[in-house]
Amino acid sequence: MMAPTAVEIVGLVEMAGESPMRSSGPGIGLLMLPFLFCFGLPVAFLGTLFGVLPTLSVAVWAGRRCAGRHVGWWIPAVAGCWAAAVALWPAATGNGLETWLWVWLSGMAALSTVTLLTRWALTRGRPYGTVVGVGLLSAVAVVAVGSLAYGTGLVDEYAPPRVHTSELVGTWNDGRGGTLRLDEEGRAVATGTWGEGGVDSPDERCEGSGTWRFEPDDNPWLQGVTIDVGDCWSGQWTLGGTAGRPKLNYQLGDTDSPDWYVLTR
């Protein structure tokens, strides 16, 4: 029951972040409901069995052992220990202290929240109904708060910068040695860029010259740049980045879960 709320939170956060394509927002949670209940229930059961219940049991035992009664703050303490142990795996793979800290904090917060909810639900007359009710209310509350934040302008939804043709003229770099030169006469020259195969096909370097044209639109998401350089790419490039640092994005791979080839001016 916590999973739809988590998906909604991620969707709302992604709406404000820079992205090559428009975020689906919290509405993606509705599309993911079948997946969450078909594949999420077994995961939730294992998480409850090996995460939530042991955390609650150890917290109750530690509270009674040390203070003579159970106190709620033992739950975050025990959850933090479990999360620290789990976070050792990314640390061991060489991801560094920052990754370990992020995994530890997010794991502790998630486990503490669910365990505290479980402890509270077990004191109710109908614990399962309580969990379902709280889960539904939390999902509705997240959508309401997020809609209010974006609707009032407290948080702005990301949109690509509006550009003019003159702002596209210049050299664009992919950060891997590839460049694309666009001149004011509509000529395009690619040097060492990636083709349709993307970075997984290092031998498919794309070089050549051709033409380009900008296709403006009142909707910033529909602005496009058509670049015709031999057999390098087929289709349109979209605009991204910010006004001070625009980017050209080209979609590769599956349209449902694409990879992006990004050039920065």
Side-chain angles (χ1 to χ4, degrees), residues 13 59 84 96 120 122 203 235:
V13 172
W120 174 74
L122 289 173
D203 296 332

Side-chain angles (χ1 to χ4, degrees), residues 41-187:
L41 283 177
V43 175
F45 173 76
L46 293 175
T48 300
L49 190 62
F50 296 105
V52 177
L53 294 181
T55 298
L56 182 58
S57 299
V58 172
V60 171
W61 174 84
R64 290 175 177 171
R65 179 92 174 180
C66 298
R69 60 186 179 86
H70 173 55
V71 287
W73 61 264
W74 273 103
I75 290 177
V78 176
C81 293
W82 293 143
V86 172
L88 289 177
W89 179 77
T93 57
N95 287 315
L97 179 61
E98 183 178 350
T99 301
W100 178 88
L101 186 62
W102 170 248
V103 173
W104 174 62
L105 288 174
S106 58
M108 180 176 65
L111 185 56
S112 298
T113 301
V114 178
T115 305
L116 286 167
L117 176 60
T118 301
R119 173 176 174 264
W120 174 74
L122 289 173
T123 64
R124 316 297 292 180
R126 297 179 178 178
Y128 294 106
T130 299
V131 169
V132 172
V134 170
L136 292 175
L137 285 175
S138 67
V140 173
V142 165
V143 172
V145 172
S147 300
L148 182 64
Y150 282 101
T152 58
L154 183 63
V155 181
D156 292 324
E157 182 178 358
Y158 169 77
R162 295 182 181 275
V163 299
H164 299 284
T165 304
S166 60
E167 297 176 87
L168 299 175
V169 174
T171 301
W172 299 77
N173 193 294
D174 66 1
R176 302 184 182 94
T179 60
L180 177 67
R181 172 74 181 176
L182 307 179
D183 67 19
E184 61 275 2
E185 297 177 356
R187 220 170 18 180

